[in-house]
Amino acid sequence: MSIFESRGATRRFGGLVAVDSVSFAVEQGEIFGLIGPNGAGKTTMFNLITALTPPTSGQLLFQGQNIVGKQPHQIAAMGIARTFQNIRLFGNLSALENVKVAQHTHTHANVFAGILGTPGAREEARRVEAKARELLRLVGLGESADEKAKNFSYGDQRRLEIARALALEPKLLLLDEPGAGMNPNEKGILSDLIRQIRDQFNLTIILIEHHVPLVMGLCDRIAVLNFGQLIALGKPAEVQSDPAVIDAYLGD
Amino acid sequence: MDFFSTYGFLIVSMLFQAMLGLSLYIPLMTGQLSLASPGFYALGGYIAAILSTTVFLPEGGGKWESGTFPIIYVLIETVLAGLASALLALLIGFPSLRLRGIYLALATIAFVEIVRVLSLNLEITGKAIGIFGVPQPFINKFDYVVLALPLLIASAWFVYRLERSRVGRAFTALREDELAAAAMGVNPTTNKVLAFVLGAVLAGMVGAISAHFLNTWNARQGTFDVSILVLAYVIIGGSRTFLGPILGGLLLTALPEVLRAIAGIQGLPLFLSQFLLDGRLIIYGLLIVVAPLFYPQGLITPDLFKRRAVKTKEAGA
Ligand SMILES: Nc1ncnc2c1ncn2[C@@H]1O[C@H](COP(=O)(O)OP(=O)(O)OP(=O)(O)O)[C@@H](O)[C@H]1O
Ligand SMILES: [Mg+2]
């Protein structure tokens, strides 16, 4: 059984079909690339998976279960985490707090336990803090844990988004252009980081990325969207030489 | 002149208003602008007024002598007022918190208005006359401080701790970016309703004590004007730390007295002192409009403390 499968997922915005009966399956442990020209429907696909946008039709299966109709926080609790192309951090919270928030579903202290500081709540708070700091170190932000997220550089904000998503302890991680705004050197580090977290946390990753070397070097398989339709799916080398793909990128 | 007998009423009122400011602040932590506090305040007051005039009667009937009403009864009423407010807030929270921003504000004002119209028309709330002769646990108004101050400290401590706890963090995340918070596993609906309920409980409890404090309770308590006043506490005091609404409530409640004192200064032109005495609402309105120009985030901001903390750290190093 594939960890994730899209069966004819479709999303219309008025007359525009942003995602047009797209079907593909992602296997456990894969780094799966999702590429395509601007406006191809990649981010919309992520929004469908995370229930931020409901599909017009089609099925989305996570670990064999149809997740269409669930709410975003339920999807998160099931083990699907994401980052946002247009960075959506909690700007006025510190980096540390950003990562702590994402541990919400794995913690239980209720409002009174938290306020009274019961031993259970305190123990939990210590665990949450330790884990948040560890994740920040992992993405290279250990030093700036207490700074407000909105004061971070572009690249640091993208790394913080990854740390926050990891705090959900996901099984499936969706990265929406994590390298945007980074220089080639930073992109190289990012590439290593993505591979490292896949191995360390036993993740399956779907990666949207425009930077071709990054995608080609990193992904096990790649799906190509164009005008909402899936036009190619396969190993990086196969996809790269696919006439339909070359046409989509170079054509009109 | 005895300071406490002159200013006792004012001081206790300031504490009550600070708590009403907090009760608006709690839902605001999740980004919800709810102006419902006066509605729950009114409800709490009616619960206390009704219980203390019909159920908690002295042995052998009759009326309580002033200052003899047992405090324990006030506490029971306060707890019941909190519970009733919680239930009502749950009931109206789920449908109304689908609304956002100004629409939620309008819906909660409608709720406040419904409470007022109901109390004007129901037998049990005394219709237009209201309920008077609410028995007194104290002889001096200032003595109410023994109820109001601990409640203010407890609620301030509650919010202070809340902001640093798991649930409070979820609240703040919702305020910052609801969609992102949901994608990170925070349930927007339950957390917003929870914040709404907590704010309602505080307002209801304040109402219960206020009914005794004011001696009478009627449909003029907890109206739309109070919604705006309480909003002013938060706007002027600050909406990003719990100290803001407390400071706002204290200051704005004391303001009329301060104005009165200024108006009494010898040598002021007559029109000015008259304006200071009678133009209270105009001055409030001006403050609400002008203060944000100079203090866009209110008088107290979280950064105020951070800067100080950094300074002391540097001084220590
Ligand atoms: N909420 C929306 N309402 C209307 N149209 C939308 C909405 N979201 C996306 N679209 C449209 O759907 C199409 C696909 O957008 P999407 O953001 O998924 O593209 P993308 O592949 O992520 O592009 P990019 O590489 O620029 O990020 C675009 O034409 C976009 O304008
Ligand atoms: Mg996109």
Side-chain angles (χ1 to χ4, degrees), chain A residues 13 16 18 37-44 85 177 210:
Chain A
F13 292 112
L16 176 84
N38 289 114
K42 307 178 296 290
T43 298
T44 304
Q85 176 180 1
E177 303 199 19
H210 278 298

Side-chain angles (χ1 to χ4, degrees), chain B residues 7 10 254-268 272-273 276-277:
Chain B
Y7 290 108
L10 177 68
L255 188 64
E257 287 307 314
V258 175
L259 294 179
R260 199 195 311 275
I262 297 175
I265 294 173
Q266 292 291 316
L268 275 191
L272 189 58
S273 52
L276 289 174
L277 288 177

Side-chain angles (χ1 to χ4, degrees), chain A residues 130-151:
Chain A
K131 177 159 174 195
R133 290 198 182 275
E134 184 191 313
L135 287 172
L136 286 174
R137 269 197 301 275
L138 180 76
V139 300
L141 295 174
E143 299 294 300
S144 26
D146 295 317
E147 260 173 66
K148 272 190 187 182
K150 68 175 178 193
N151 296 336

Side-chain angles (χ1 to χ4, degrees), chain A residues 93-147:
Chain A
L93 297 187
S94 69
L96 193 69
E97 287 170 315
N98 267 274
V99 182
K100 283 181 175 178
V101 167
Q103 298 183 54
H104 194 81
T105 55
H106 297 291
T107 47
H108 309 282
N110 67 32
V111 64
F112 297 109
I115 283 159
L116 295 173
T118 60
R122 274 202 307 238
E123 161 61 26
E124 186 179 274
R126 261 195 300 276
R127 253 190 303 124
V128 166
E129 165 114 16
K131 177 159 174 195
R133 290 198 182 275
E134 184 191 313
L135 287 172
L136 286 174
R137 269 197 301 275
L138 180 76
V139 300
L141 295 174
E143 299 294 300
S144 26
D146 295 317
E147 260 173 66

